[in-house]
Coordinates of all heavy atoms in Angstrom, one line a residue:
M841 N -48.0 21.7 -15.9 CA -46.7 21.9 -16.6 C -45.8 22.7 -15.7 O -44.6 22.5 -15.6 CB -47.0 22.7 -17.9 CG -45.7 22.9 -18.7 SD -45.1 21.3 -19.4 CE -43.6 21.8 -20.0
K842 N -46.4 23.7 -14.9 CA -45.6 24.5 -14.0 C -44.9 23.7 -12.9 O -43.7 23.8 -12.6 CB -46.5 25.5 -13.4 CG -45.8 26.7 -12.6 CD -46.7 27.7 -12.1 CE -47.0 27.5 -10.7 NZ -47.9 28.4 -10.1
Y843 N -45.7 22.6 -12.4 CA -45.1 21.8 -11.4 C -44.0 20.9 -11.9 O -43.1 20.6 -11.2 CB -46.2 20.9 -10.8 CG -47.3 21.8 -10.0 CD1 -48.6 21.9 -10.5 CD2 -46.9 22.5 -8.9 CE1 -49.5 22.7 -9.8 CE2 -47.8 23.2 -8.2 CZ -49.1 23.3 -8.7 OH -50.0 24.1 -8.0
L844 N -44.1 20.5 -13.2 CA -43.0 19.7 -13.8 C -41.7 20.5 -13.8 O -40.6 20.0 -13.6 CB -43.5 19.3 -15.2 CG -42.9 18.0 -15.7 CD1 -43.2 16.8 -14.8 CD2 -43.4 17.8 -17.1
L845 N -41.8 21.8 -14.2 CA -40.6 22.7 -14.2 C -40.0 22.8 -12.8 O -38.8 22.8 -12.6 CB -41.0 24.0 -14.8 CG -41.2 24.1 -16.3 CD1 -41.7 25.5 -16.8 CD2 -39.8 23.8 -17.0
V846 N -40.9 23.0 -11.8 CA -40.4 23.2 -10.5 C -39.8 21.9 -10.0 O -38.7 21.9 -9.4 CB -41.6 23.6 -9.5 CG1 -41.2 23.5 -8.1 CG2 -42.1 25.0 -9.9
L847 N -40.4 20.8 -10.3 CA -39.8 19.5 -9.9 C -38.4 19.3 -10.6 O -37.5 18.8 -10.0 CB -40.8 18.3 -10.3 CG -40.3 16.9 -10.0 CD1 -40.2 16.7 -8.5 CD2 -41.1 15.9 -10.6
G848 N -38.3 19.6 -11.9 CA -37.1 19.5 -12.6 C -36.0 20.4 -12.0 O -34.9 20.0 -11.8
L849 N -36.4 21.6 -11.6 CA -35.4 22.5 -11.0 C -35.0 22.0 -9.7 O -33.8 22.0 -9.4 CB -36.1 23.9 -10.8 CG -35.2 25.0 -10.3 CD1 -34.2 25.4 -11.4 CD2 -36.0 26.3 -10.0
V850 N -35.9 21.5 -8.9 CA -35.5 20.9 -7.6 C -34.6 19.7 -7.8 O -33.6 19.6 -7.1 CB -36.8 20.4 -6.8 CG1 -36.4 19.5 -5.6 CG2 -37.6 21.7 -6.4
L851 N -34.8 18.9 -8.8 CA -34.0 17.7 -9.0 C -32.6 18.2 -9.4 O -31.5 17.6 -9.0 CB -34.6 16.8 -10.1 CG -35.7 16.0 -9.6 CD1 -36.3 15.2 -10.8 CD2 -35.3 15.0 -8.5
V852 N -32.5 19.2 -10.3 CA -31.2 19.7 -10.7 C -30.4 20.3 -9.6 O -29.2 20.0 -9.4 CB -31.4 20.8 -11.9 CG1 -30.1 21.5 -12.1 CG2 -31.8 20.1 -13.2
V853 N -31.1 21.1 -8.7 CA -30.4 21.7 -7.5 C -29.9 20.5 -6.6 O -28.8 20.6 -6.1 CB -31.4 22.6 -6.8 CG1 -30.8 23.0 -5.4 CG2 -31.6 23.9 -7.7
F854 N -30.8 19.5 -6.4 CA -30.4 18.4 -5.5 C -29.2 17.7 -6.1 O -28.3 17.3 -5.3 CB -31.6 17.4 -5.4 CG -31.3 16.2 -4.5 CD1 -31.2 16.4 -3.1 CD2 -31.1 15.0 -5.1 CE1 -30.9 15.3 -2.4 CE2 -30.9 13.9 -4.3 CZ -30.7 14.0 -3.0
W855 N -29.2 17.4 -7.4 CA -28.1 16.7 -8.0 C -26.8 17.5 -7.9 O -25.7 17.0 -7.6 CB -28.4 16.5 -9.5 CG -27.2 15.9 -10.3 CD1 -26.8 14.6 -10.3 CD2 -26.3 16.7 -11.1 NE1 -25.7 14.5 -11.1 CE2 -25.4 15.8 -11.6 CE3 -26.2 18.0 -11.4 CZ2 -24.3 16.2 -12.4 CZ3 -25.2 18.4 -12.2 CH2 -24.2 17.5 -12.7
A856 N -26.9 18.8 -8.1 CA -25.7 19.7 -8.0 C -25.2 19.7 -6.6 O -23.9 19.6 -6.3 CB -26.0 21.1 -8.4
W857 N -26.1 19.8 -5.6 CA -25.7 19.8 -4.2 C -25.0 18.4 -3.8 O -24.0 18.4 -3.1 CB -26.9 20.0 -3.3 CG -26.7 19.8 -1.8 CD1 -26.0 20.6 -1.0 CD2 -27.1 18.6 -1.1 NE1 -26.0 20.1 0.3 CE2 -26.6 18.8 0.2 CE3 -27.7 17.4 -1.4 CZ2 -26.8 17.9 1.2 CZ3 -27.9 16.5 -0.4 CH2 -27.5 16.7 0.9
R858 N -25.6 17.3 -4.3 CA -25.0 16.0 -4.0 C -23.7 15.8 -4.6 O -22.7 15.3 -3.9 CB -26.0 14.9 -4.5 CG -26.6 14.2 -3.3 CD -27.3 13.0 -3.8 NE -26.4 11.9 -3.9 CZ -26.8 10.6 -3.9 NH1 -28.1 10.3 -3.8 NH2 -25.9 9.7 -4.0
S859 N -23.5 16.2 -5.8 CA -22.2 16.0 -6.5 C -21.1 16.8 -5.8 O -20.0 16.4 -5.7 CB -22.2 16.2 -8.0 OG -22.7 17.4 -8.3
A860 N -21.5 18.1 -5.4 CA -20.5 18.9 -4.7 C -20.1 18.3 -3.4 O -18.9 18.3 -3.0 CB -21.1 20.3 -4.5
R861 N -21.1 17.8 -2.7 CA -20.8 17.1 -1.4 C -19.9 15.9 -1.5 O -19.0 15.7 -0.8 CB -22.2 16.7 -0.7 CG -22.0 16.2 0.7 CD -23.3 15.6 1.1 NE -23.5 14.4 0.3 CZ -24.5 13.5 0.5 NH1 -25.4 13.7 1.5 NH2 -24.7 12.5 -0.2
D862 N -20.2 15.1 -2.6 CA -19.4 13.9 -2.8 C -17.9 14.3 -3.1 O -17.0 13.6 -2.7 CB -20.0 13.1 -3.9 CG -21.3 12.4 -3.5 OD1 -21.6 12.4 -2.3 OD2 -22.0 11.8 -4.4
R863 N -17.8 15.3 -4.0 CA -16.4 15.7 -4.3 C -15.7 16.2 -3.1 O -14.5 15.9 -2.9 CB -16.5 16.9 -5.4 CG -16.1 16.4 -6.7 CD -16.1 17.5 -7.7 NE -17.4 17.7 -8.2 CZ -18.1 18.8 -8.3 NH1 -17.5 19.9 -8.0 NH2 -19.3 18.9 -8.8
R864 N -16.4 17.0 -2.2 CA -15.7 17.5 -1.0 C -15.3 16.3 -0.1 O -14.2 16.3 0.5 CB -16.7 18.4 -0.3 CG -16.0 19.5 0.5 CD -16.9 20.5 1.1 NE -18.3 20.2 1.3 CZ -19.3 20.7 0.6 NH1 -19.1 21.7 -0.2 NH2 -20.6 20.4 0.9
A865 N -16.2 15.3 0.1 CA -15.9 14.1 0.9 C -14.8 13.3 0.3 O -13.9 12.9 1.1 CB -17.2 13.3 1.0
A866 N -14.7 13.2 -1.0 CA -13.6 12.5 -1.6 C -12.3 13.2 -1.4 O -11.3 12.5 -1.1 CB -13.9 12.3 -3.1
S867 N -12.3 14.5 -1.5 CA -11.0 15.2 -1.3 C -10.6 15.2 0.2 O -9.4 15.1 0.5 CB -11.1 16.7 -1.8 OG -12.0 17.4 -1.0
L868 N -11.6 15.2 1.1 CA -11.2 15.0 2.5 C -10.7 13.6 2.8 O -9.7 13.5 3.6 CB -12.5 15.3 3.4 CG -12.9 16.7 3.6 CD1 -14.2 16.8 4.4 CD2 -11.8 17.5 4.3
R869 N -11.2 12.6 2.2 CA -10.8 11.3 2.4 C -9.3 11.1 1.9 O -8.5 10.5 2.6 CB -11.7 10.3 1.7 CG -12.5 9.5 2.6 CD -13.4 8.5 1.9 NE -14.6 9.2 1.4 CZ -15.1 9.1 0.2 NH1 -14.5 8.3 -0.7 NH2 -16.2 9.7 -0.2
Q870 N -9.0 11.7 0.8 CA -7.6 11.6 0.2 C -6.7 12.4 1.1 O -5.5 12.0 1.3 CB -7.6 12.2 -1.2 CG -8.0 11.2 -2.2 CD -7.5 11.5 -3.6 OE1 -7.4 12.7 -3.9 NE2 -7.3 10.5 -4.4
A871 N -7.1 13.5 1.7 CA -6.2 14.3 2.6 C -5.9 13.5 3.9 O -4.8 13.6 4.4 CB -6.9 15.6 2.9
D872 N -6.9 12.7 4.4 CA -6.6 11.9 5.6 C -5.7 10.8 5.4 O -5.0 10.4 6.3 CB -8.0 11.4 6.1 CG -8.9 12.4 6.7 OD1 -8.3 13.6 6.9 OD2 -10.1 12.2 6.9
K873 N -5.6 10.3 4.2 CA -4.7 9.1 3.9 C -3.3 9.5 4.0 O -2.9 10.5 3.4 CB -5.0 8.5 2.5 CG -6.0 7.4 2.5 CD -6.0 6.8 1.2 CE -7.4 6.6 0.7 NZ -7.5 6.4 -0.7
P874 N -2.5 8.8 4.8 CA -1.0 9.1 4.7 C -0.4 8.6 3.4 O -0.9 7.7 2.8 CB -0.5 8.2 5.9 CG -1.5 7.1 6.1 CD -2.8 7.7 5.6
A875 N 0.6 9.3 3.0 CA 1.2 9.0 1.7 C 1.8 7.6 1.8 O 2.4 7.2 2.8 CB 2.3 10.0 1.5
P876 N 1.6 6.8 0.8 CA 2.1 5.5 0.8 C 3.6 5.5 0.8 O 4.3 6.2 0.0 CB 1.6 4.8 -0.5 CG 1.2 6.0 -1.3 CD 0.9 7.1 -0.5
V877 N 4.2 4.7 1.7 CA 5.6 4.7 1.8 C 6.1 3.4 1.1 O 5.7 2.3 1.5 CB 6.1 4.6 3.3 CG1 7.6 4.5 3.4 CG2 5.5 5.8 4.1
P878 N 6.9 3.6 0.0 CA 7.3 2.4 -0.7 C 8.4 1.7 0.1 O 9.5 2.2 0.3 CB 7.8 2.9 -2.0 CG 8.1 4.4 -1.7 CD 7.3 4.8 -0.6
V879 N 8.1 0.5 0.6 CA 9.1 -0.3 1.3 C 9.3 -1.5 0.5 O 8.4 -2.3 0.4 CB 8.6 -0.6 2.8 CG1 9.6 -1.5 3.5 CG2 8.3 0.7 3.5
Q880 N 10.5 -1.6 0.0 CA 10.8 -2.8 -0.8 C 12.1 -3.3 -0.3 O 13.2 -2.8 -0.6 CB 10.9 -2.5 -2.3 CG 9.5 -2.2 -2.9 CD 9.6 -2.2 -4.4 OE1 10.7 -1.9 -5.0 NE2 8.5 -2.4 -5.1
T881 N 12.0 -4.4 0.5 CA 13.2 -5.0 1.0 C 13.3 -6.4 0.4 O 12.4 -7.2 0.5 CB 13.2 -5.1 2.5 OG1 12.9 -3.8 3.1 CG2 14.5 -5.6 3.1
E882 N 14.4 -6.6 -0.2 CA 14.6 -7.9 -0.8 C 14.8 -9.0 0.3 O 15.6 -8.7 1.2 CB 15.8 -7.9 -1.8 CG 15.9 -9.2 -2.6 CD 17.2 -9.2 -3.5 OE1 17.8 -8.1 -3.6 OE2 17.5 -10.2 -4.0
I883 N 14.2 -10.1 0.2 CA 14.3 -11.2 1.1 C 15.2 -12.2 0.5 O 15.1 -12.6 -0.6 CB 12.9 -11.8 1.4 CG1 12.0 -10.8 2.0 CG2 13.1 -13.0 2.4 CD1 12.4 -10.2 3.4
V884 N 16.2 -12.6 1.3 CA 17.2 -13.6 0.8 C 17.1 -14.8 1.8 O 16.5 -14.7 2.8 CB 18.6 -13.1 0.7 CG1 18.7 -12.0 -0.3 CG2 19.1 -12.5 2.1
E885 N 17.7 -15.9 1.4 CA 17.6 -17.1 2.1 C 19.0 -17.5 2.6 O 20.0 -17.5 1.8 CB 17.0 -18.2 1.3 CG 16.8 -19.5 2.0 CD 16.2 -20.6 1.1 OE1 15.9 -20.3 -0.1 OE2 16.0 -21.7 1.5
C886 N 19.1 -18.0 3.8 CA 20.4 -18.5 4.3 C 20.7 -19.8 3.6 O 19.9 -20.6 3.5 CB 20.4 -18.7 5.8 SG 21.9 -19.5 6.5
D887 N 21.9 -19.9 3.1 CA 22.3 -21.1 2.3 C 22.4 -22.3 3.2 O 22.4 -23.4 2.7 CB 23.6 -20.9 1.5 CG 23.3 -20.0 0.3 OD1 22.2 -19.6 0.0 OD2 24.3 -19.6 -0.4
L888 N 22.6 -22.1 4.5 CA 22.8 -23.3 5.4 C 21.5 -23.7 6.0 O 21.1 -24.9 5.9 CB 23.8 -22.9 6.4 CG 24.4 -24.1 7.2 CD1 25.3 -25.0 6.2 CD2 25.2 -23.7 8.4
C889 N 20.8 -22.8 6.7 CA 19.6 -23.2 7.5 C 18.3 -22.8 6.7 O 17.2 -23.0 7.2 CB 19.6 -22.6 8.9 SG 19.4 -20.8 8.9
H890 N 18.4 -22.1 5.6 CA 17.3 -21.7 4.8 C 16.3 -20.7 5.4 O 15.2 -20.7 5.1 CB 16.5 -23.0 4.3 CG 17.4 -23.9 3.5 ND1 17.9 -23.7 2.3 CD2 17.9 -25.1 3.9 CE1 18.7 -24.7 1.9 NE2 18.7 -25.6 2.9
L891 N 16.8 -20.0 6.4 CA 16.1 -18.9 7.1 C 16.0 -17.8 6.1 O 16.9 -17.4 5.4 CB 16.8 -18.5 8.3 CG 16.2 -17.3 9.1 CD1 15.0 -17.8 9.9 CD2 17.2 -16.6 9.9
H892 N 14.8 -17.2 6.0 CA 14.5 -16.0 5.1 C 14.7 -14.8 5.9 O 14.2 -14.6 7.0 CB 13.1 -16.1 4.5 CG 13.0 -17.2 3.5 ND1 12.7 -18.4 3.9 CD2 13.1 -17.2 2.2 CE1 12.6 -19.2 2.8 NE2 12.9 -18.4 1.7
L893 N 15.5 -13.8 5.4 CA 15.8 -12.6 6.1 C 16.0 -11.5 5.1 O 16.3 -11.7 3.9 CB 17.0 -12.8 7.1 CG 18.4 -13.0 6.5 CD1 19.4 -12.6 7.5 CD2 18.6 -14.4 6.0
P894 N 15.8 -10.2 5.6 CA 16.1 -9.1 4.7 C 17.5 -9.0 4.2 O 18.4 -9.3 5.0 CB 15.7 -7.9 5.5 CG 15.0 -8.4 6.7 CD 15.4 -9.8 6.9
R895 N 17.7 -8.6 3.0 CA 19.1 -8.6 2.5 C 20.1 -7.7 3.3 O 21.2 -8.1 3.5 CB 19.1 -8.1 1.0 CG 20.5 -8.1 0.4 CD 20.5 -7.7 -1.0 NE 20.2 -8.8 -1.9 CZ 21.1 -9.7 -2.2 NH1 22.3 -9.7 -1.8 NH2 20.8 -10.7 -3.1
P896 N 19.6 -6.6 3.9 CA 20.5 -5.8 4.7 C 21.0 -6.5 5.9 O 22.1 -6.2 6.4 CB 19.7 -4.5 5.1 CG 18.6 -4.4 4.0 CD 18.3 -5.8 3.6
D897 N 20.2 -7.5 6.4 CA 20.6 -8.2 7.6 C 21.5 -9.4 7.3 O 22.0 -10.1 8.2 CB 19.4 -8.6 8.4 CG 18.6 -7.4 8.9 OD1 19.2 -6.3 9.0 OD2 17.4 -7.6 9.3
A898 N 21.5 -9.8 6.1 CA 22.2 -11.0 5.7 C 23.7 -10.8 5.6 O 24.2 -9.7 5.3 CB 21.7 -11.5 4.4
L899 N 24.5 -11.9 5.7 CA 25.9 -11.8 5.5 C 26.2 -12.5 4.2 O 25.8 -13.6 3.9 CB 26.7 -12.6 6.6 CG 26.5 -11.9 8.0 CD1 27.1 -12.9 9.1 CD2 27.2 -10.6 8.1
I900 N 26.9 -11.7 3.3 CA 27.2 -12.2 2.0 C 28.6 -12.8 2.1 O 29.6 -12.0 2.3 CB 27.1 -11.1 0.9 CG1 25.8 -10.3 1.1 CG2 27.2 -11.7 -0.5 CD1 24.5 -11.0 0.8
G901 N 28.7 -14.1 1.9 CA 30.0 -14.7 2.0 C 30.5 -15.1 0.6 O 29.7 -14.9 -0.4
A902 N 31.7 -15.6 0.5 CA 32.2 -16.1 -0.8 C 31.4 -17.2 -1.3 O 31.3 -17.4 -2.5 CB 33.7 -16.5 -0.7
T903 N 30.8 -18.0 -0.4 CA 30.1 -19.2 -0.8 C 28.6 -19.0 -0.8 O 27.9 -20.0 -1.1 CB 30.5 -20.4 0.1 OG1 30.2 -20.0 1.5 CG2 31.9 -20.8 0.0
G904 N 28.1 -17.8 -0.5 CA 26.7 -17.6 -0.6 C 26.2 -16.6 0.4 O 26.9 -15.8 0.9
T905 N 24.9 -16.7 0.7 CA 24.3 -15.7 1.6 C 23.9 -16.4 2.9 O 23.4 -17.6 2.9 CB 23.0 -15.2 1.0 OG1 23.3 -14.7 -0.3 CG2 22.4 -14.1 1.8
F906 N 24.2 -15.8 4.1 CA 24.0 -16.5 5.4 C 23.3 -15.6 6.4 O 23.4 -14.3 6.3 CB 25.3 -17.0 5.9 CG 26.0 -17.9 5.0 CD1 27.0 -17.4 4.1 CD2 25.7 -19.2 4.9 CE1 27.6 -18.2 3.2 CE2 26.3 -20.1 4.0 CZ 27.3 -19.6 3.1
C907 N 22.6 -16.2 7.4 CA 21.9 -15.5 8.4 C 22.8 -15.0 9.5 O 22.6 -14.0 10.2 CB 20.8 -16.3 8.9 SG 21.4 -17.7 9.9
S908 N 24.0 -15.7 9.7 CA 24.9 -15.3 10.8 C 26.3 -15.7 10.4 O 26.5 -16.4 9.4 CB 24.5 -16.1 12.1 OG 24.6 -17.5 11.8
D909 N 27.2 -15.1 11.2 CA 28.6 -15.4 10.9 C 28.9 -16.9 11.1 O 29.7 -17.5 10.4 CB 29.5 -14.5 11.8 CG 30.9 -14.4 11.3 OD1 31.1 -14.2 10.0 OD2 31.9 -14.6 12.1
A910 N 28.3 -17.5 12.2 CA 28.5 -18.9 12.5 C 28.1 -19.7 11.3 O 28.9 -20.7 10.9 CB 27.6 -19.3 13.7
H911 N 27.0 -19.4 10.6 CA 26.6 -20.2 9.5 C 27.5 -20.0 8.3 O 27.8 -20.9 7.5 CB 25.2 -19.9 9.1 CG 24.2 -20.7 10.0 ND1 22.8 -20.6 9.8 CD2 24.4 -21.5 11.1 CE1 22.3 -21.4 10.8 NE2 23.2 -21.9 11.5
R912 N 28.0 -18.8 8.2 CA 29.0 -18.5 7.0 C 30.2 -19.3 7.2 O 30.7 -19.9 6.3 CB 29.3 -17.0 7.0 CG 30.1 -16.6 5.8 CD 30.4 -15.1 5.8 NE 31.1 -14.7 7.1 CZ 32.4 -14.8 7.3 NH1 33.2 -15.3 6.3 NH2 33.0 -14.4 8.4
V913 N 30.7 -19.3 8.5 CA 32.0 -20.1 8.8 C 31.7 -21.6 8.6 O 32.5 -22.3 7.9 CB 32.4 -19.8 10.2 CG1 33.6 -20.7 10.6 CG2 32.9 -18.3 10.3
Q914 N 30.6 -22.0 9.1 CA 30.2 -23.5 9.0 C 30.1 -23.9 7.5 O 30.6 -25.0 7.1 CB 28.9 -23.7 9.7 CG 28.6 -25.2 10.0 CD 27.3 -25.4 10.7 OE1 26.9 -24.5 11.4 NE2 26.7 -26.6 10.6
A915 N 29.5 -23.1 6.7 CA 29.3 -23.4 5.3 C 30.7 -23.4 4.6 O 30.9 -24.2 3.7 CB 28.4 -22.4 4.6
G916 N 31.6 -22.5 5.0 CA 32.9 -22.4 4.5 C 33.7 -23.7 4.8 O 34.5 -24.2 3.9
R917 N 33.5 -24.3 6.0 CA 34.2 -25.5 6.4 C 33.7 -26.7 5.6 O 34.4 -27.5 5.1 CB 33.9 -25.8 7.9 CG 35.0 -25.2 8.7 CD 34.9 -25.7 10.1 NE 35.2 -24.7 11.1 CZ 34.3 -24.3 12.0 NH1 33.2 -25.0 12.2 NH2 34.6 -23.3 12.8
E918 N 32.3 -26.7 5.4 CA 31.7 -27.9 4.7 C 32.0 -27.8 3.2 O 32.1 -28.9 2.6 CB 30.2 -27.9 4.9 CG 29.9 -28.3 6.3 CD 28.4 -28.2 6.6 OE1 27.6 -27.7 5.7 OE2 28.0 -28.5 7.7
A919 N 32.2 -26.7 2.7 CA 32.4 -26.6 1.2 C 33.8 -27.1 0.8 O 34.7 -27.1 1.6 CB 32.2 -25.1 0.7
Ligands
ZN33 ZN1 21.5 -19.7 8.7

C-alpha cells in the first residue's frame, strides 16, 4: 500500500511538471510567431486583355478597369 501511494505521488508530480513544461513551450511558440499582417488587396481584371492585377495598380476608366493607359485608350476607341 505504501508503494502505491509513492507511485501515485510520483505520477502526480510528473503530470504537474509535464503540463507546466507544455504551457511554457506553448507560450514561447506564440511569442516567436510574428503577428499576422492582414493583407487584403482586391484583384481586378483588365477589360481589354483580361490581365488580373491589384486594384491600386489598375486604371479605372469611364468604360471599365484597365491594366494600362494604352488599353484604356484602346477600349475607349473600340467602344
Ligand atoms: Zn490590359
Side-chain angles (χ1 to χ4, degrees):
M841 187 66 193
K842 193 174 101 183
Y843 294 113
L844 207 61
L845 283 173
V846 170
L847 181 67
L849 187 67
V850 166
L851 285 177
V852 166
V853 168
F854 178 73
W855 171 81
W857 169 78
R858 248 189 86 157
S859 57
R861 187 194 63 174
D862 288 352
R863 254 181 275 131
R864 212 174 20 248
S867 67
L868 281 176
R869 253 181 276 133
Q870 277 200 331
D872 287 348
K873 267 191 226 160
V877 180
V879 178
Q880 287 191 337
T881 305
E882 188 186 349
I883 301 296
V884 294
E885 183 180 1
C886 174
D887 285 353
L888 195 70
C889 69
H890 305 288
L891 176 80
H892 290 84
L893 67 160
R895 181 177 278 282
D897 297 342
L899 294 173
I900 314 294
T903 54
T905 308
F906 302 97
C907 65
S908 63
D909 197 46
H911 281 181
R912 185 180 57 83
V913 170
Q914 194 178 338
R917 269 194 220 122
E918 288 172 357

